Amino acid sequence: MALYMKNFNPVIIHLILTLGISSRIFSLDISVEATNKTLRAKAPFAEKVSVIRLDETMKIEATRTDISLPTVFKNLPDPENASYMIQVTHNGVNYNKVLPAGTMQSPLYVNIDIYDATNQMNADIKLEKFVEIHYFKGVLATDITLHFTNTGNYTFSERAGRNGVLVYIPNFGKSIEAIASLEGVSGASDIKTIKLNPQPLPGKPDYYLLDQAVKPGEKYFQVRVLYKYQGEPVEIPFENIYPLGSKLTVILHAKDMKIQWKENPAWDTKPVFNDNLGADFITLPMRQNKYTLIFSGGIPESGKSESGSSSNKPIGVNSPVNFAMKTGGVGLFLLLVTLFFYYLKSRPTWLRLIQSKNKSRLAFELQNLKSLDLSQDVKDKREKILKLKIESLEKLSRF
């Protein structure tokens, strides 16, 4: 044998050894189990467990249904430069864990946290809602954002086993588009989102299902609806399907636009400019059921700085530094600056929330820019401005 190996080409020997090592590394065995965080116990079974290759095709490499846990997937193929995602389905909701490319070594032991599902908005689930209004040439765009904060140990999902939340969109709205954040948003998140296709609810006109459940943590949904508009008054009905935890905010990005609350015309709807948003806004009280807003006038946004919300001014945050500048005192100012930037490094909750909401909103606006009926020159200018704003938020998040 030794004599035979001496006469064998060293290059071929190297290739055989390399191929043998590679096959051992990428012939993966993955053991999957789940912890039910609602019951605080290991889950004995799952409705489905899948191994998904994360690339353009999202190929399912292996899947098992109604399976006892833990379960082992043997001899999975090399994902090459892609990643694997392990998905466990429980109560009709998918729970995922991504195995990054280059980190997979056999055998792998994966534990995924799952939760029991409820169709009741309990006290642990808070909802903040705001509506953003854009006016482009011939088009009024309403961007509805639902921000859920779920501090409990149940996943919220709609009735009758439907996996998601409902939104109300009047039937004369066109080009309905939506996105959602992938998982619970944390301070380290860059707000990865997934595009949704709002599904009409059978037997209930004007109601659509957004097929993403609200898991413990934070979750964003954003829906864009387009309406024909030339500045003449237009009535758009809205509905708060779920109880709100704060006042409803309506943000007007077009200058000189007027707004009226039809059911309560005495309510003060004079817009107030907000530095953080770079736009006018009004607030309405927390209320359920339907309400109608009447929009009129306004200057179409053109992508130029004089058009209101398209300013190059970066989005800021309220801070004690601004207060010190107004009240005076160099020593106090320097002290507060030092303390404030140490404070920013801890990334407090209010800062993470502002960064998350604004970055998600800007990314959504950038994503939907191509669908608007605007000239290419205007689109290019607006795209540049949106990217500058996103970049300013990313710099702020690195404090």
Side-chain angles (χ1 to χ4, degrees), residues 207-270:
Y207 291 87
Y208 291 79
L209 179 74
L210 303 181
D211 191 18
Q212 284 279 310
V214 180
K215 303 171 187 176
E218 291 183 72
K219 184 80 171 181
Y220 291 88
F221 296 87
Q222 291 187 309
V223 182
R224 161 163 285 195
V225 188
L226 304 182
Y227 302 89
K228 291 182 179 180
Y229 184 70
Q230 297 288 354
E232 72 286 354
V234 59
E235 297 185 6
I236 300 179
F238 297 86
E239 182 177 358
N240 297 329
I241 297 175
Y242 306 108
L244 298 181
S246 63
K247 291 182 179 180
L248 172 67
T249 301
V250 181
I251 302 166
L252 304 172
H253 289 281
K255 291 183 66 176
D256 299 336
M257 179 172 283
K258 296 180 181 179
I259 185 171
Q260 187 178 14
W261 181 6
K262 182 178 180 179
E263 291 82 3
N264 189 359
W267 186 268
D268 183 8
T269 55
K270 182 179 180 181

Side-chain angles (χ1 to χ4, degrees), residues 55-305:
D55 56 15
E56 295 82 0
T57 61
M58 295 285 286
K59 178 183 177 183
I60 297 178
E61 293 288 358
T63 187
R64 294 171 184 168
T65 56
D66 298 322
I67 188 70
S68 298
L69 297 178
T71 184
V72 180
F73 295 90
K74 290 184 174 292
N75 300 319
L76 292 168
D78 179 5
E80 297 176 349
N81 294 324
S83 301
Y84 274 147
M85 180 173 73
I86 311 301
Q87 185 175 89
V88 174
T89 304
H90 176 65
N91 288 170
V93 179
N94 295 329
Y95 298 87
N96 308 309
K97 179 170 285 188
V98 175
L99 310 177
T103 64
M104 291 175 277
Q105 295 183 349
S106 187
L108 280 175
Y109 298 91
V110 177
N111 181 76
I112 296 181
D113 291 338
I114 63 175
Y115 299 84
D116 287 347
T118 178
N119 59 5
Q120 300 295 320
M121 280 278 289
N122 55 51
D124 294 322
I125 303 174
K126 306 297 183 184
L127 172 60
E128 179 187 33
K129 177 180 179 180
F130 55 96
V131 179
E132 296 182 77
I133 307 298
H134 289 277
Y135 176 20
F136 305 105
K137 184 179 179 181
V139 174
L140 188 75
T142 65
D143 292 348
I144 302 170
T145 298
L146 303 176
H147 169 220
F148 289 90
T149 303
N150 184 353
T151 58
N153 57 2
Y154 281 87
T155 290
F156 173 69
S157 188
E158 256 301 332
R159 65 181 77 85
R162 295 185 179 277
N163 179 12
V165 300
L166 292 177
V167 292
Y168 172 81
I169 299 171
N171 58 18
F172 65 96
K174 306 297 181 184
S175 185
I176 302 168
E177 300 173 332
I179 60 173
S181 55
L182 283 176
E183 298 293 347
V185 176
S186 66
S189 174
D190 58 357
I191 317 300
K192 294 182 176 65
T193 57
I194 184 171
K195 186 174 181 178
L196 302 178
N197 293 316
Q199 299 297 317
L201 201 63
K204 200 167 184 183
D206 301 342
Y207 291 87
Y208 291 79
L209 179 74
L210 303 181
D211 191 18
Q212 284 279 310
V214 180
K215 303 171 187 176
E218 291 183 72
K219 184 80 171 181
Y220 291 88
F221 296 87
Q222 291 187 309
V223 182
R224 161 163 285 195
V225 188
L226 304 182
Y227 302 89
K228 291 182 179 180
Y229 184 70
Q230 297 288 354
E232 72 286 354
V234 59
E235 297 185 6
I236 300 179
F238 297 86
E239 182 177 358
N240 297 329
I241 297 175
Y242 306 108
L244 298 181
S246 63
K247 291 182 179 180
L248 172 67
T249 301
V250 181
I251 302 166
L252 304 172
H253 289 281
K255 291 183 66 176
D256 299 336
M257 179 172 283
K258 296 180 181 179
I259 185 171
Q260 187 178 14
W261 181 6
K262 182 178 180 179
E263 291 82 3
N264 189 359
W267 186 268
D268 183 8
T269 55
K270 182 179 180 181
V272 177
F273 187 78
N274 182 281
D275 287 331
N276 293 331
L277 297 171
D280 290 331
F281 80 102
I282 67 167
T283 57
L284 300 178
M286 291 183 291
R287 55 184 284 119
Q288 289 182 263
N289 302 323
K290 296 179 182 178
Y291 54 95
T292 305
L293 300 180
I294 304 172
F295 302 95
S296 61
I299 301 174
E301 301 171 53
S302 65
K304 298 179 182 179
S305 60

